Amino acid sequence: QQQVKQSPQSLIVQKGGISIINCAYENTAFDYFPWYQQFPGKGPALLIAIRPDVSEKKEGRFTISFNKSAKQFSLHIMDSQPGDSATYFCAATNTNAGKSTFGDGTTLTVKP
Amino acid sequence: DGGITQSPKYLFRKEGQNVTLSCEQNLNHDAMYWYRQDPGQGLRLIYYSQIVNDFQKGDIAEGYSVSREKKESFPLTVTSAQKNPTAFYLCASIWYTEAFFGQGTRLTVV
């Protein structure tokens, strides 16, 4: 049973466009939802995160939208740049248990 | 610089051999984790430790073993019982809610 479903698996966007990656979760015990960015051959790094008591969080060009009733959240990258080309993972964390469940990742390619 | 250090970056294993992947942290974090990453798949939890001398199995612990004798160190041994060990292995520590990852070790069976 996959607890966090991420889509799409891959995404190609033109420079300046908007990249949107979606995730859905099942377990209501999750209480923290981070997004990680991973470049080839490197470990993932935290990009942005949200708690379920807010519906949106914005940091620069990156925005998380969160829909608690639908158990869905998404990452929006505005004005996408070639340097944003990477794999993005959503995660859902149960902070009481100290465990995170990751989505399968989305490979984003931003074409110049 | 504070962070997670994994070594080696690349590791080759012969069939039937055990190999140990190193993970060291100087962040003074209590919780440490090992994940396996395969192409097109997310990060799958192998083992985790929330305190010295204690660790728990994750979702895919079979064929792996760990130890946590020191707060700074959390080595992972890939045993010969792991039938498909070729993968990218990531070590992480957790501080409250944020995970800090190492640069990974790519293990290949030859």
Side-chain angles (χ1 to χ4, degrees):
Chain A
Q1 181 187 13
Q2 188 174 13
Q3 293 195 57
V4 178
K5 293 183 180 180
Q6 183 173 345
S7 64
Q9 187 174 16
S10 62
L11 181 61
I12 300 174
V13 173
Q14 292 292 327
K15 179 182 176 181
I18 302 174
S19 304
I20 301 174
I21 305 170
N22 301 298
C23 283
Y25 65 98
E26 298 171 5
N27 190 343
T28 55
F30 293 135
D31 58 354
Y32 182 73
F33 301 88
W35 285 88
Y36 290 86
Q37 180 187 55
Q38 184 182 29
F39 294 104
K42 304 293 185 183
L46 180 66
L47 183 64
I48 186 173
I50 196 168
R51 293 194 178 277
D53 52 348
V54 298
S55 60
E56 185 175 284
K57 183 174 182 181
K58 183 175 181 180
E59 290 184 1
R61 296 184 293 110
F62 300 91
T63 300
I64 300 178
S65 298
F66 189 85
N67 185 330
K68 187 174 182 178
S69 60
K71 292 189 282 187
Q72 295 175 346
F73 57 109
S74 60
L75 176 69
H76 296 236
I77 305 174
M78 311 299 289
D79 187 26
S80 298
Q81 300 296 312
D84 296 331
S85 297
T87 299
Y88 292 82
F89 291 95
C90 64
T93 301
N94 180 336
T95 57
N96 287 330
K99 290 177 67 176
S100 294
T101 301
F102 288 83
D104 285 345
T106 296
T107 302
L108 171 65
T109 303
V110 181
K111 294 202 167 185
Chain B
D1 278 329
I4 308 289
T5 301
Q6 289 187 243
S7 62
K9 188 171 182 178
Y10 300 96
L11 187 57
F12 297 89
R13 191 193 93 169
K14 292 183 179 180
E15 295 277 357
Q17 276 186 338
N18 293 352
V19 289
T20 297
L21 283 60
S22 171
C23 178
E24 302 281 330
Q25 57 109 348
N26 60 4
L27 300 168
N28 201 34
H29 293 170
D30 288 317
M32 297 185 74
Y33 298 73
W34 274 105
Y35 291 94
R36 171 178 171 144
Q37 185 175 20
D38 294 284
Q41 295 192 38
L43 304 176
R44 293 185 289 168
L45 182 62
I46 305 173
Y47 268 97
Y48 64 104
S49 168
Q50 294 182 309
I51 197 168
V52 174
N53 291 323
D54 186 52
F55 48 83
Q56 309 295 329
K57 291 183 178 180
D59 301 319
I60 56 165
E62 185 175 351
Y64 301 97
S65 65
V66 294
S67 63
R68 188 81 187 279
E69 297 176 2
K70 300 185 301 181
K71 189 175 187 177
E72 302 79 17
S73 180
F74 190 41
L76 173 73
T77 297
V78 184
T79 75
S80 56
Q82 171 50 240
K83 298 306 179 187
N84 185 23
T86 295
F88 190 53
Y89 291 87
L90 286 161
C91 178
S93 70
I94 303 280
W95 179 248
Y96 288 106
T97 52
E98 182 175 351
F100 296 81
F101 286 89
Q103 295 298 292
T105 293
R106 186 165 298 280
L107 173 63
T108 304
V109 174
V110 296

